Amino acid sequence: MERIKGNIVLIRQQKVCFAALELDEGRIKKTEMLDEREVPGQPYILPGFIDSHVHIESSMLVPAEFARLAVVHGTVATVSDPHEIANVCGVEGVNYMIDNGNTVPFKFNFGAPSCVPATVFETAGATLGVKGVTELLARKEIKYLAEMMNFPGVLMKDAVVMDKIKAAHKAGKPVDGHAPGLRGDDARTYVAAIADPAAGLRGTDHECFTKEEALDKLNAGMKILIREGSAAKNFEALIDLLNDYPDDMMFCSDDKHPDSLEEGHINRLCARAVEKGIPVFNVLKAACINPVLHYGLDVGLLAEGDPADLIMVKDLVRFEVEKTFINGQLVAENGKTLIKATKAPVLNNFSCTFKEPDSFKVPANGSKIVPVIEALDGQLITHKLLLEPRIIDGLYVSDTDRDILKIAVVNRYRDAPIATAFIKNFGLKKGAIASSVAHDSHNIIAVGVDDESLCKAVNKIIAAKGGVSAVMGEEEQIVPLPIAGLMSNKDGYKVAAAYTGIDQMAKRMGATLAAPFMTLSFMALLVIPELKLSDKGLFDGQRFEFIAKIS
């Protein structure tokens, strides 16, 4: 039996008092009140933090390694959508995530991916139909139906889409929403379709990028997640809503690269929210309480008999974590993880051959205006620009003076013609960067200033059967990702260091985006407007159709 003392933060009662907790066999056996008031100089004891929507794969770490880094920041659980590996490896990939997560003392709560493949306009590595989704939802490890990003299918009452939603409701599990930019009647229709009021099941959305959009959905009965990841950052736009909707909001990262995870997690969002004047109890509801109640998680909330999932922090301002306990086990202390690293087995689906520079050429067809993707720093959405192309020797080519670069998507599941287009705001002045992390189907995506560099960066990915690469003349770097082309099987801290190195190289090449590789990974994400590129061509995410080729 272990006894810990500190200022217990009773979030729902909105009070802090000095008490001792007795931990026994992984649970809180008894709470002994020592003083009705908080005692200065003593640590604060909170329920652990929860990331209410995250793709573990985007950290480039297997779940066990993600946990090693996350517990240092007081995270004890995640609501994890294994959508990325499912698009590559199907149900086998989902099983891989569950099995690997079970090797460490951390509370992963996985969902059943709802959209594999995400659309019919790209090539994925697997298909997960109604039968597969229903079978996953029957498992105790699966807590919810993961983000229903096919919102056009919901609005049009597509039979397959609706059957997946019905399967979740029949299993008594909530449905995560995903409807960027949806407003008004369409938003209300979508919210109603994914909810089951009779069972008390409401939907969520982590894709709101304006306060007005979030308010629309809150008023329609949806719960809103405040997202702050490595690429998509909506904290500033949405945080004020936590003043008025403390029971209907949560924090999430969605996608977080390893260097960013090493620096901080949900604890940082708590500190930023308090700094902005949001009442601390509202902040802690979003960070600790609301995800447990919404998803029915087996995560303790400091009540007697609860699992002993708790953290000790120095104060309620910076939330600097001193200790993290999961099921009563000390898993992190004073900035150091106590979870041991282990090497994970490799699972992959990669089958294409090396490319030639000529495959990336774009013959000019006489058009004086071409569609160009405008990438936006800190956003998943893009803009569609119509710009005059640069033409040399009868070819459309990159124009570094105007920061209009060639982008390519290469099918990784079989040999096929390479899809090409142009993109603005990456800033590269030389070389190319490439990645096999390319939501949602995870083909190889690359941006570069010339065809030779593009080809070399892509071929490095093919040789490694997955990774992120950068090429600048004779200088080359790659972070190999042998597990599904998405994750490393190495120590998480070493992966974070390697990723920091290649990110710095990209910025030496001229990249102006805060997270160039993360932003690159979303340029093939067709379900987020406005203009994206799949392995099959340039795609209009508002009209949900391909646009005319530029060559």
Side-chain angles (χ1 to χ4, degrees):
M1 185 179 297
E2 184 171 2
R3 194 169 189 265
I4 60 175
K5 292 193 299 184
N7 293 310
I8 308 291
V9 182
L10 303 173
I11 301 170
R12 285 179 284 192
Q13 295 92 326
Q14 299 198 9
K15 64 180 290 188
V16 180
C17 54
F18 189 60
L21 298 180
E22 289 185 5
L23 312 184
D24 188 33
E25 296 184 348
R27 294 188 174 271
I28 298 175
K29 183 176 182 180
K30 181 182 178 182
T31 301
E32 182 184 355
M33 199 65 62
L34 302 176
D35 195 317
E36 289 292 335
R37 298 166 296 179
E38 60 185 281
V39 175
Q42 294 294 317
Y44 291 81
I45 301 175
L46 310 170
F49 297 132
I50 299 170
D51 190 332
S52 58
H53 176 79
V54 61
H55 302 280
I56 301 294
E57 304 96 314
S58 290
S59 70
M60 302 183 182
L61 309 175
V62 293
E65 287 299 318
F66 180 98
R68 293 183 67 236
L69 275 64
V71 293
V72 171
H73 309 302
T75 305
V76 301
T78 58
V79 178
S80 312
D81 179 0
H83 170 92
E84 313 306 341
I85 196 169
N87 265 285
V88 178
C89 300
V91 171
E92 186 181 7
V94 177
N95 292 336
Y96 181 96
M97 300 297 279
I98 293 171
D99 292 343
N100 184 264
N102 286 338
T103 65
V104 292
F106 189 87
K107 299 195 171 181
F108 292 102
N109 299 279
F110 289 103
S114 66
C115 300
V116 176
T119 73
V120 298
F121 304 105
E122 56 198 311
T123 303
T127 298
L128 192 53
V130 175
K131 183 175 182 290
V133 167
T134 302
E135 289 174 353
L136 282 173
L137 285 164
R139 297 179 58 173
K140 61 181 177 57
E141 300 97 336
I142 300 295
K143 303 294 185 181
Y144 64 105
L145 182 65
E147 51 187 318
M148 179 46 76
M149 62 182 67
N150 187 359
F151 66 84
V154 175
L155 297 178
M156 294 184 290
K157 292 183 168 49
D158 176 87
V160 171
V161 168
M162 301 312 292
D163 282 348
K164 290 177 181 179
I165 293 172
K166 289 174 185 175
H169 292 164
K170 185 175 181 180
K173 297 177 179 181
V175 178
D176 269 9
H178 181 288
L182 211 60
R183 301 284 306 275
D185 289 342
D186 282 346
R188 287 187 286 275
T189 299
Y190 180 85
V191 171
I194 67 171
D196 184 359
L201 299 175
R202 294 164 62 186
T204 65
D205 199 318
H206 58 276
E207 291 290 347
C208 296
F209 47 89
T210 68
K211 181 178 180 179
E212 293 72 24
E213 178 188 349
L215 272 172
D216 251 18
K217 291 172 179 173
L218 282 164
N219 291 332
M222 204 172 217
K223 295 187 180 182
I224 298 299
L225 279 54
I226 298 174
R227 173 177 60 184
E228 192 79 352
S230 294
K233 301 179 185 292
N234 310 123
F235 179 92
E236 294 295 335
L238 305 180
I239 190 59
D240 287 346
L241 292 169
L242 194 49
N243 282 313
D244 298 322
Y245 297 90
D247 296 321
D248 296 321
M249 304 190 75
M250 306 172 228
F251 290 129
C252 79
S253 66
D254 196 5
D255 295 283
K256 202 164 179 66
H257 268 179
D259 57 337
S260 176
L261 180 61
E262 184 179 14
E263 292 173 358
H265 199 192
I266 302 302
N267 58 323
R268 286 198 161 186
L269 301 189
C270 293
R272 286 176 60 185
V274 168
E275 186 179 16
K276 284 188 166 291
I278 309 297
V280 68
F281 294 111
N282 287 13
V283 173
L284 294 177
K285 277 187 175 183
C288 310
I289 303 288
N290 294 345
V292 174
L293 300 181
H294 177 76
Y295 291 100
L297 307 181
D298 183 25
V299 178
L301 296 177
L302 296 186
E304 289 186 356
D306 274 3
D309 305 320
L310 55 95
I311 60 176
M312 303 177 76
V313 300
K314 290 184 178 179
D315 57 49
L316 301 181
V317 178
R318 297 180 61 193
F319 297 92
E320 187 176 340
V321 179
E322 295 181 336
K323 294 182 179 182
T324 303
F325 294 84
I326 299 179
N327 285 339
Q329 179 179 340
L330 183 64
V331 292
E333 185 172 19
N334 297 324
K336 300 292 183 183
T337 187
L338 301 179
I339 300 176
K340 292 183 179 180
T342 57
K343 194 159 186 176
V346 170
L347 173 72
N348 210 336
N349 183 3
F350 218 105
S351 184
C352 65
T353 58
F354 294 119
K355 307 306 174 189
E356 297 293 333
D358 284 353
S359 302
F360 295 84
K361 294 187 185 303
V362 182
N365 65 354
S367 296
K368 294 185 177 180
I369 297 294
V370 298
V372 174
I373 302 166
E374 183 183 25
L376 304 175
D377 207 1
Q379 298 292 341
L380 304 191
I381 60 169
T382 62
H383 290 160
K384 176 183 177 181
L385 304 177
L386 297 173
L387 301 175
E388 184 179 349
R390 184 183 186 197
I391 302 175
I392 296 180
D393 296 332
L395 299 172
Y396 291 132
V397 298
S398 294
D399 185 344
T400 56
D401 291 339
R402 292 190 295 153
D403 189 17
I404 302 171
L405 305 179
K406 188 177 290 184
I407 182 171
V409 176
V410 179
N411 187 320
R412 68 125 104 173
Y413 303 105
R414 59 181 173 83
D415 286 324
I418 294 170
T420 53
F422 290 89
I423 191 164
K424 187 173 178 61
N425 285 349
F426 265 79
L428 297 180
K429 297 298 183 183
K430 45 191 161 183
I433 61 174
S435 174
S436 59
V437 180
H439 307 277
D440 281 312
S441 293
H442 301 292
N443 290 296
I444 304 168
I445 189 165
V447 167
V449 304
D450 61 83
D451 296 334
E452 290 74 17
S453 296
L454 278 167
C455 185
K456 191 180 290 187
V458 165
N459 282 341
K460 288 190 75 66
I461 302 292
I462 294 171
K465 293 191 180 297
V468 293
S469 68
V471 169
M472 179 172 57
E474 296 302 311
E475 183 179 357
E476 301 177 5
Q477 286 191 38
I478 185 167
V479 179
L481 302 174
I483 299 171
L486 302 173
M487 295 172 285
S488 172
N489 60 350
K490 293 184 178 179
D491 178 287
Y493 287 98
K494 292 179 180 178
V495 178
Y499 178 78
T500 297
I502 201 168
D503 179 71
Q504 290 172 346
M505 179 178 172
K507 287 168 182 173
R508 284 191 285 110
M509 293 161 62
T512 53
L513 296 164
F517 284 100
M518 183 65 89
T519 299
L520 177 65
S521 74
F522 289 111
M523 295 303 101
L525 183 54
L526 308 188
V527 296
I528 302 287
E530 178 174 23
L531 190 62
K532 298 291 172 69
L533 180 68
S534 87
D535 68 294
K536 295 182 179 180
L538 200 56
F539 189 78
D540 186 322
Q542 289 184 314
R543 299 172 64 90
F544 233 65
E545 62 185 21
F546 288 112
I547 66 173
K549 291 185 178 181
I550 60 174
S551 63

